[in-house]
Amino acid sequence: MARVIVDVMLKPEILDPQGQAIARALPRLGFAGVSGVRQGKRFELELDGPADEAALSDVRKMAETLLANTVIEDFTIRVEG
């Protein structure tokens, strides 16, 4: 059994209004020293078997078809622990 993490973020050239709202709120809450925020999504997938090349290929297909909108988002895949 393996855990695979898929992190999804807006592409750098795409405006991130949620990240901007967070960045504007931080100083009002007393937090200083943050010049920018980008918000993303994290998916944790528990695989029934090992995280071999075939399983990671399936996870990549899942990310491309369901987890991320590849027109405006990038994703990374990593095996945890």
Side-chain angles (χ1 to χ4, degrees):
M1 190 154 156
R3 175 178 290 176
V4 177
I5 308 299
V6 180
D7 289 310
V8 179
M9 295 292 294
L10 286 172
K11 291 182 177 181
E13 62 272 15
I14 302 297
L15 181 67
D16 183 358
Q18 290 176 310
Q20 290 176 339
I22 293 167
R24 285 190 305 269
L26 289 173
R28 290 193 308 265
L29 296 172
F31 299 102
V34 177
S35 60
V37 176
R38 303 277 299 169
Q39 181 176 340
K41 300 178 278 190
R42 173 184 163 122
F43 298 92
E44 297 183 4
L45 305 174
E46 297 287 339
L47 305 182
D48 290 333
D52 57 15
E53 284 304 314
L56 292 177
S57 177
D58 285 344
V59 170
R60 194 169 296 106
K61 290 176 191 171
M62 291 176 208
E64 291 170 345
T65 59
L66 177 64
L67 304 179
N69 177 349
T70 57
V71 173
I72 62 169
E73 294 173 319
D74 290 325
F75 65 87
T76 58
I77 297 170
R78 62 186 166 86
V79 179
E80 187 174 80

